[in-house]
C-alpha cells in the first residue's frame, strides 16, 4: 500500500456534523472577483474549483457581506444579502463539492473598514481612523492620512437589525448548499469592532464588559441557530492577539473561545491582528513561518472543538508537525494556496519541493489588487485572475525562442514557452539563474524570495531547458530565432556628479552579496560583499536602497538614505512599508520578536547629492537649494533604470522581440513574472509586432505589418 506523506495532515476531522477529508483549510480569502452586484462570477467559480481540485479539505470562501448597503469589505466581494444571490452561491458550492472538498462561507461586515460605500461608515463606536493597510482605506482622498476617516457608532436598533441580516445571510449560505458558515470577528471588521476592548467604547449593553462586547456575535450565533437549525456548523474567526495597545490579548482570547464553545460554535479559526497595525493581520515577508501558532496552541488547551491556526504556514512538514504535536487541529492557508492551489495534492504525493511557496510579498494579492479596488492577483502565480495559465495550451507549431536574461521574467518566459512546446534557449550573462532575486537571499526577512527562486530554477532545470551561461548575445546572434524575449533587467544609474568614481562609492549589489562560505546560488567564484565603514549614505529610491539599508542597518551601521522623492519608497507595498518604517525607527514591527536595527535609519527626502569629496564629505542639496555636508565612509548607489540598447538594435533589424520586466520599466517581481509569462504565451510562427510593438500572432485585419 502506498504510504501517505504527512499522515496527520491528511487525516479526516469532524467539525460538528461535517466530516472534512483532511486538515488543510483555505483560510478565508476575498479574491474580490464577484460581479459588481456581489453575485458569483465564473472567474470566482474557476478559482475555488482549482483549490478544491488541488486537494484542500475545507475551503472557507472569503468575505461575503450580509448587507451591501452599509458595507462591502472590497468593492467586488460576494454578497449574501438577498435571495437572488443563492443560485450563484449554489454553483460555487457545487464546483468545490465536485472535488470532494467541504466548504463554508465567511460572513463579513466591514463596518469602519468599508471599501464601499465610502461615506457614513458604521462601527461599534465613533472614531476617526487611518487604516493604511486595509482595503477599506481611502484611495481617492489625498489628505486621508492627515484627516483619517470618520466613523459613526451604530444605534442599538441598527445593531439588532444587523444581527438579523447576518442570520438571514447564513440561511442563504445554507440554502446554497454550503457545509458551514464562519463569522469574521478578526482584523478589526465589524464583529471585531464590537469584540475589541480597543475599538469598542460603548457604555450600553453592547460595550464595556467582555460579555457585553461579545453580545453582538453571540446574538448572531443564536439567531443563526434559530434560522438554520442547531446542526448547521457555525465557526468564528478572531484574532488571538490584536497587537494594539489596549486591545485584546491572548488571555482574553482564551475566555472568548470557551464562551463561543458554550454558545454552540463548531470551530474556532484563530487569526491575528487588527488593521490599525497591519503587520500581524497581513504578515509581510519579515514574519517567520508559524509565528502565530502559539495563539491556537494556547486556546486549544481550553476547548474541545476544532481549532484552525493560520498565518505564514508554507511547509507541509511544519504543518504536519504542529498537528502531530497537538498545537492545532487544522492549518489555514490563504496566500499559500493563492500561490499554489495544488498545495495539498503536492504534499500528499510526498512532493513538497514542487510547491510554489508564497513569499508573502503582498504585491499581487494586496497592493496591486484589493488595496486599489481591483481583483486579486499573485506575483508568482500568473494564473490568478488569468485563466489562460491554468492549463497552458500547446502551440500549433514549434518555434525557436531565445530568452535573454535568467532573472524571474526570463525564467518565467522560458518556462511558459517550453510548456507550449517551443524550443527554448535561455541566455544568462552570469553563471547563475535568479537575477535580482538572488540579492534578496541575504537580507533579513527577505530571504523568502529564495523560495520562489528555488521553485522557478527547479522548473527550468527539470524541464531540461537549454541554458547558456556567461552568454550575452548581441542583435546579430539572435537573428535566426522565431521570437526573442528580452529580460535583461535594468541597469544601475551612475549620476554625473564630481567624485562619483571615488573608490568608496560602490553600488547596492556590492553590499547585498552572499556572505556564506558555500552557497548553492553562487557555486563558483562568488565575490564577497564589500565591507562598508561605520557611516553609509545610500543614494536612491529603488529596492536596492531599502535592501542595502536593511542589510547595513542589521550590521549596526549608521545609515542615511538620500532620495529626490518627497517620500521614500512610495512604490513599496504599504504593509511592508509600515513594518520597515517601524524597524528603521528602531522598533521591531509587532509580530517580530527581535529588534534587528539598532541605530535608526535616517531618511532625507527631496534631497540630492551634488558632490562627493575624497575626504568622505558629501554635499547634499534639498529642493529649496539649501546645502548641507555629511561625512560618510561609503556612498552606496541605488538608482536604477531600464536598459534599452539591445532592444532598439533588435527592432531595427526587424526581429520579433518583446521586452519584459525591468528591462522594459523598473518595477517589481509581479511585473516580471506577468510580462515574462504573457510574452511566452503569445509566441507563434510568423510572429509580428503590432503598432504598439507588442507581439501579435493573429492580425485582426488583412494589413500585413
Ligand atoms: C487577498 C487576500 C484576501 C483575504 N481575505 C480575507 C477574508 O476575506 N477574510 C479573512 O478573515 N481573512 C482574509 N485574508 C487574510 C488571510 O485569511 C490570512 O489570515 C492572512 O493572509 C495570513 O495568512 P497566510 O500567510 O496564509 O496568507 C485575506 C488575505 C489575502 C491575501
Amino acid at each position: 500500500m502506498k504510504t501517505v506523506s504527512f499522515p496527520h495532515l491528511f487525516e479526516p476531522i469532524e467539525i460538528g456534523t461535517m466530516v472534512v477529508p483532511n486538515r488543510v483549510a483555505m483560510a478565508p480569502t476575498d479574491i474580490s472577483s464577484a460581479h459588481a452586484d456581489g453575485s458569483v462570477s465564473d472567474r470566482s467559480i474557476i478559482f475555488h474549483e482549482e483549490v478544491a481540485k488541488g486537494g484542500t479539505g475545507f475551503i472557507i470562501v472569503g468575505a461575503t457581506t450580509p448587507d451591501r448597503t452599509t458595507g462591502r469589505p472590497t468593492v467586488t466581494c460576494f454578497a449574501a444579502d438577498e435571495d437572488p444571490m443563492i443560485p450563484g452561491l449554489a454553483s460555487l458550492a457545487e464546483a468545490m463539492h465536485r472535488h470532494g472538498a467541504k466548504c463554508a462561507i465567511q460572513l463579513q461586515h466591514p463596518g469602519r473598514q468599508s471599501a464601499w460605500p465610502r461615506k457614513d461608515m458604521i462601527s461599534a463606536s465613533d472614531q476617526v481612523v487611518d487604516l493604511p493597510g486595509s482595503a477599506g482605506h481611502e484611495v481617492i482622498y489625498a489628505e486621508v492620512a492627515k484627516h483619517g476617516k470618520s466613523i459613526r457608532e451604530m444605534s442599538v436598533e441598527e445593531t439588532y437589525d444587523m444581527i438579523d441580516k447576518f442570520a438571514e445571510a447564513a440561511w442563504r449560505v445554507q440554502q446554497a448548499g454550503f457545509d458551514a458558515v464562519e463569522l469574521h470577528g478578526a482584523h478589526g471588521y465589524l464583529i471585531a469592532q464590537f469584540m475589541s476592548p480597543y475599538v469598542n467604547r460603548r457604555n450600553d449593553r453592547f460595550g464595556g464588559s467582555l460579555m457585553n462586547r461579545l453580545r453582538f456575535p453571540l446574538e448572531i450565533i443564536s439567531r443563526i441557530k434559530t434560522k438554520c437549525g442547531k446542526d448547521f456548523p457555525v465557526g468564528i474567526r478572531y484574532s488571538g492577539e490584536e497587537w494594539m495597545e489596549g486591545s485584546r490579548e491572548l488571555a482574553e482570547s482564551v475566555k472568548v473561545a470557551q464562551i463561543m464553545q458554550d454558545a454552540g460554535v463548531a470551530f474556532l479559526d484563530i487569526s491575528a491582528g487588527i488593521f490599525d497595525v497591519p503587520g500581524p493581520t497581513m504578515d509581510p515577508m519579515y514574519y517567520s513561518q508559524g509565528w502565530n501558532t502559539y495563539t491556537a496552541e494556547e486556546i486549544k488547551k481550553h476547548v474541545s472543538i476544532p481549532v484552525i491556526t493560520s498565518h505564514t504556514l508554507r511547509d507541509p512538514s511544519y504543518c504536519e508537525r504542529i498537528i502531530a504535536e497537538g498545537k492545532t487541529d487544522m492549518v489555514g492557508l490563504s496566500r499559500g494556496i493563492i500561490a499554489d492551489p495544488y498545495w495539498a495534492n503536492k504534499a500528499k504525493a510526498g512532493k513538497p519541493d514542487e510547491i510554489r511557496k508564497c513569499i508573502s510579498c503582498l504585491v499581487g494579492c494586496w497592493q496591486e489588487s484589493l488595496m486599489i479596488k481591483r481583483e486579486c492577483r499573485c506575483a508568482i502565480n500568473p494564473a490568478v485572475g488569468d485563466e489562460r495559465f491554468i492549463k497552458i495550451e500547446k502551440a500549433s507549431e514549434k518555434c525557436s525562442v531565445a530568452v535573454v536574461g535568467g532573472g524571474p521574467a526570463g525564467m518565467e518566459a522560458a518556462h511558459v514557452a517550453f510548456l507550449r512546446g517551443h524550443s527554448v534557449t535561455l541566455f544568462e550573462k552570469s553563471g547563475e539563474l535568479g537575477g535580482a532575486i538572488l540579492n534578496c537571499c541575504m537580507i533579513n526577512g527577505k530571504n523568502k524570495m529564495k523560495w520562489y527562486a528555488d521553485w522557478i530554477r527547479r522548473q527550468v532545470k527539470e524541464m531540461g531547458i537549454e541554458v547558456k551561461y556567461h552568454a550575452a548575445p548581441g542583435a546579430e546572434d539572435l537573428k535566426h530565432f522565431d521570437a526573442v524575449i528580452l529580460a535583461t533587467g535594468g541597469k544601475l544609474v551612475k549620476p554625473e556628479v564630481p567624485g562619483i568614481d571615488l573608490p568608496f562609492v560602490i553600488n547596492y549589489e556590492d553590499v547585498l552579496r552572499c556572505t556564506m562560505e558555500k552557497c548553492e546560488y553562487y557555486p563558483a567564484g562568488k565575490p564577497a560583499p564589500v565591507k562598508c565603514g561605520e557611516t553609509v549614505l545610500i543614494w536612491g529610491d529603488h529596492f536596492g536602497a531599502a535592501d542595502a539599508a536593511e542589510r547595513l542597518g542589521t550590521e549596526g551601521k549608521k545609515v542615511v538614505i538620500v532620495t529626490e522623492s518627497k517620500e521614500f519608497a512610495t512604490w513599496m507595498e504599504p504593509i511592508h512599508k509600515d513594518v520597515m518604517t517601524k524597524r528603521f525607527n528602531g522598533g521591531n514591527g509587532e509580530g517580530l520578536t527581535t529588534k534587528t536595527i539598532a541605530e535608526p535609519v535616517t531618511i532625507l527626502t527631496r534631497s540630492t547629492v551634488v558632490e562627493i569629496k575624497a575626504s568622505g564629505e558629501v554635499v547634499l542639496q534639498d529642493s529649496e537649494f539649501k546645502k548641507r555636508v555629511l561625512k560618510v565612509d561609503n556612498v552606496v548607489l541605488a538608482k536604477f533604470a531600464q536598459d534599452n540598447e539591445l532592444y532598439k538594435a533588435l527592432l531595427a533589424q526587424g526581429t520579433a522581440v518583446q521586452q519584459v520586466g525591468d528591462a522594459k520599466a523598473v518595477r517589481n517581481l509581479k511585473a516580471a513574472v506577468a510580462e515574462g509569462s504573457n510574452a511566452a504565451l503569445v509566441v507563434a510562427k510568423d510572429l509580428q509586432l503590432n503598432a504598439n510593438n507588442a507581439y501579435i500572432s493573429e492580425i485582426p485585419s488583412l494589413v500585413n505589418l
Side-chain angles (χ1 to χ4, degrees):
M1 206 176 88
K2 216 173 139 202
T3 53
V4 176
S5 305
F6 312 113
H8 294 88
L9 203 48
F10 293 100
E11 201 181 306
I13 180 168
E14 281 178 28
I15 301 183
T17 51
M18 130 179 101
V19 180
V20 175
N22 61 52
R23 307 298 179 100
V24 184
M26 177 157 202
T29 304
D30 174 7
I31 57 163
S32 207
S33 290
H35 291 304
D37 66 353
S39 59
V40 170
S41 64
D42 288 349
R43 168 160 294 167
S44 43
I45 293 184
I46 292 170
F47 175 89
H48 289 93
E49 181 157 11
E50 287 305 302
V51 176
K53 276 189 208 163
T56 305
F58 185 35
I59 302 170
I60 308 171
V61 172
T64 300
T65 181
D67 184 24
R68 272 172 295 168
T69 318
T70 54
R72 305 182 189 199
T74 62
V75 284
T76 42
C77 67
F78 292 126
D81 58 349
E82 282 183 346
D83 292 2
M85 297 295 163
I86 296 172
L89 291 171
S91 302
L92 180 61
E94 273 168 21
M96 291 181 276
H97 282 156
R98 272 201 285 278
H99 307 284
K102 295 287 179 197
C103 54
I105 278 216
Q106 184 190 58
L107 294 178
Q108 180 194 33
H109 192 293
R112 62 181 192 151
Q113 282 155 217
S114 173
W116 181 259
R118 281 189 263 106
K119 290 203 167 69
D120 193 28
M121 270 165 289
I122 52 170
S123 181
S125 305
D126 285 344
Q127 263 191 325
V128 176
V129 285
D130 171 32
L131 302 162
S134 136
H137 82 142
E138 293 308 313
V139 285
I140 58 160
Y141 303 126
E143 296 293 281
V144 69
K146 203 153 66 193
H147 300 303
K149 60 182 190 180
S150 60
I151 289 127
R152 179 177 66 75
E153 176 177 307
M154 289 163 79
S155 69
V156 169
E157 291 69 28
E158 278 176 310
T159 309
Y160 277 114
D161 186 45
M162 190 59 75
I163 289 167
D164 237 3
K165 285 184 168 139
F166 267 96
E168 287 269 324
W171 176 82
R172 291 185 191 104
V173 167
Q174 186 188 34
Q175 291 303 303
F178 280 82
D179 305 289
V181 71
E182 183 184 90
L183 300 176
H184 194 349
H187 311 161
Y189 291 98
L190 186 62
I191 294 178
Q193 288 154 39
F194 276 89
M195 289 168 69
S196 170
Y198 162 72
V199 185
N200 186 339
R201 308 280 162 89
R202 300 174 78 106
N203 54 14
D204 61 8
R205 74 194 84 163
F206 289 104
S209 69
L210 173 61
M211 282 316 282
N212 275 3
R213 282 185 277 117
L214 294 186
R215 192 176 306 281
F216 183 55
L218 288 172
E219 290 274 359
I220 294 174
I221 292 160
S222 147
R223 208 67 68 86
I224 294 177
K225 294 206 166 277
T226 309
K227 278 195 197 295
C228 304
K230 66 175 177 21
D231 286 344
F232 185 55
V234 182
I236 184 161
R237 185 168 218 219
Y238 66 96
S239 298
E241 307 228 48
E242 287 186 324
W243 291 93
M244 195 60 203
E245 185 82 36
S247 66
R248 195 179 52 253
E249 293 179 2
L250 190 52
E252 187 173 284
S253 289
V254 168
K255 289 188 195 147
V256 173
Q258 290 165 323
I259 296 167
M260 290 297 161
Q261 174 167 284
D262 293 345
V265 160
F267 66 95
L268 301 170
D269 179 358
I270 306 302
S271 189
I274 179 167
F275 260 116
D276 306 66
V277 279
T281 306
M282 302 292 294
D283 12 345
M285 271 185 199
Y286 304 106
Y287 285 39
S288 59
Q289 167 140 247
W291 67 275
N292 186 43
T293 307
Y294 73 99
T295 54
E297 182 183 358
E298 185 55 30
I299 287 170
K300 195 174 147 43
K301 288 179 194 155
H302 302 271
V303 290
S304 55
I305 51 176
V307 173
I308 307 175
T309 184
S310 55
H311 287 266
T312 311
L313 302 175
R314 304 285 183 262
D315 287 313
S317 52
Y318 177 80
C319 296
E320 167 75 11
R321 180 156 59 78
I322 56 176
I323 297 173
E325 289 172 355
K327 293 182 173 165
T328 187
D329 296 295
M330 296 187 79
V331 288
L333 289 77
S334 166
R335 290 168 297 172
I337 289 180
I338 297 178
D340 195 335
Y342 318 113
W343 191 96
N345 285 350
K346 290 177 181 176
K348 190 169 182 195
K351 297 195 167 161
D353 289 349
E354 279 301 311
I355 294 173
R356 179 171 40 198
K357 284 198 287 186
C358 164
I359 56 173
S360 305
C361 70
L362 288 169
V363 172
C365 62
W366 207 243
Q367 177 188 20
E368 295 188 8
S369 54
L370 274 62
M371 282 288 286
I372 54 166
K373 303 196 191 298
R374 297 191 192 164
E375 291 181 30
C376 184
R377 295 285 185 270
C378 175
I380 59 171
N381 179 4
V384 178
D386 191 342
E387 293 74 27
R388 297 171 307 155
F389 288 100
I390 291 178
K391 194 167 184 311
I392 292 172
E393 305 275 340
K394 284 265 184 240
S396 49
E397 260 185 279
K398 186 172 182 160
C399 305
S400 59
V401 183
V403 179
V404 189
M411 285 191 285
E412 280 295 339
H415 176 216
V416 172
F418 188 86
L419 288 174
R420 298 198 62 227
H422 296 309
S423 146
V424 181
T425 312
L426 176 58
F427 297 91
E428 166 54 38
K429 68 174 187 296
S430 77
E432 272 305 311
L433 293 177
I437 5 179
L438 296 184
N439 289 330
C440 300
C441 298
M442 291 300 292
I443 302 154
N444 190 23
K446 274 193 100 173
N447 45 15
K448 286 195 182 71
M449 297 283 265
K450 239 166 113 170
W451 294 344
Y452 171 68
D454 283 344
W455 182 84
I456 186 72
R457 279 159 54 115
R458 186 173 306 112
Q459 305 307 308
V460 171
K461 202 170 159 198
E462 282 177 7
M463 283 174 176
I465 294 172
E466 184 192 7
V467 184
K468 288 192 190 300
Y469 292 102
H470 304 289
E476 189 61 34
D477 307 316
L478 297 166
K479 232 175 181 167
H480 62 280
F481 286 95
D482 292 320
V484 176
I485 299 177
L486 273 192
T488 42
K491 62 178 178 201
L492 192 79
V493 175
K494 207 168 160 192
E496 287 182 14
V497 297
I500 197 78
D501 290 318
L502 285 164
F504 60 87
V505 181
I506 56 178
N507 82 55
Y508 75 91
E509 285 178 325
D510 297 329
V511 174
L512 297 180
R513 280 186 217 128
C514 172
T515 50
M516 285 193 281
E517 271 287 292
K518 263 193 168 171
C519 167
E520 59 179 304
Y521 298 99
Y522 299 97
K526 165 174 72 83
V530 171
K531 284 217 177 327
C532 288
E534 282 318 293
T535 307
V536 184
L537 183 147
I538 299 172
W539 185 16
D541 199 340
H542 171 251
F543 278 106
D547 292 349
E550 191 79 48
R551 172 81 173 261
L552 293 167
T554 307
E555 286 172 9
K557 311 284 183 206
K558 200 166 167 14
V559 176
V560 181
I561 298 175
V562 174
T563 171
E564 287 79 8
S565 315
K566 67 174 186 198
E567 191 187 324
F568 177 61
T570 44
W571 42 266
M572 190 180 279
E573 188 284 311
I575 299 175
H576 281 81
K577 190 162 170 193
D578 182 83
V579 175
M580 179 193 79
T581 307
K582 286 172 181 157
R583 301 180 67 238
F584 279 7
N585 289 335
N588 60 3
E590 292 93 29
L592 300 168
T593 44
T594 48
K595 236 188 219 187
T596 41
I597 299 181
E599 283 273 352
V601 173
T602 307
I603 299 176
L604 300 177
T605 55
R606 294 180 198 264
S607 300
T608 194
V609 173
V610 289
E611 187 181 353
I612 306 166
K613 298 183 179 173
S615 59
E617 286 178 317
V618 180
V619 184
L620 304 177
Q621 182 172 289
D622 69 16
S623 55
E624 285 164 1
F625 301 100
K626 281 199 201 103
K627 291 205 169 134
R628 65 191 283 186
V629 176
L630 290 184
K631 175 96 171 62
V632 302
D633 299 303
N634 288 96
V635 173
V636 174
L637 296 178
K639 283 173 172 285
F640 219 59
Q642 69 170 141
D643 191 355
N644 248 341
E645 294 314 307
L646 182 56
Y647 179 59
K648 285 193 211 146
L650 285 162
L651 275 185
Q653 80 179 14
T655 303
V657 59
Q658 187 81 77
Q659 230 181 352
V660 294
D662 276 3
K664 186 175 172 191
V666 176
R667 283 148 306 152
N668 52 28
L669 179 62
K670 173 173 170 271
V673 169
E675 285 175 7
S677 52
N678 266 291
L681 206 63
V682 183
V683 167
K685 264 285 187 260
D686 302 323
L687 197 63
Q688 299 201 28
L689 297 179
N690 72 3
N692 303 322
N693 282 339
Y695 274 166
I696 188 152
S697 53
E698 285 162 43
I699 304 171
S701 72
L702 294 175
V703 179
N704 203 332
L705 293 163

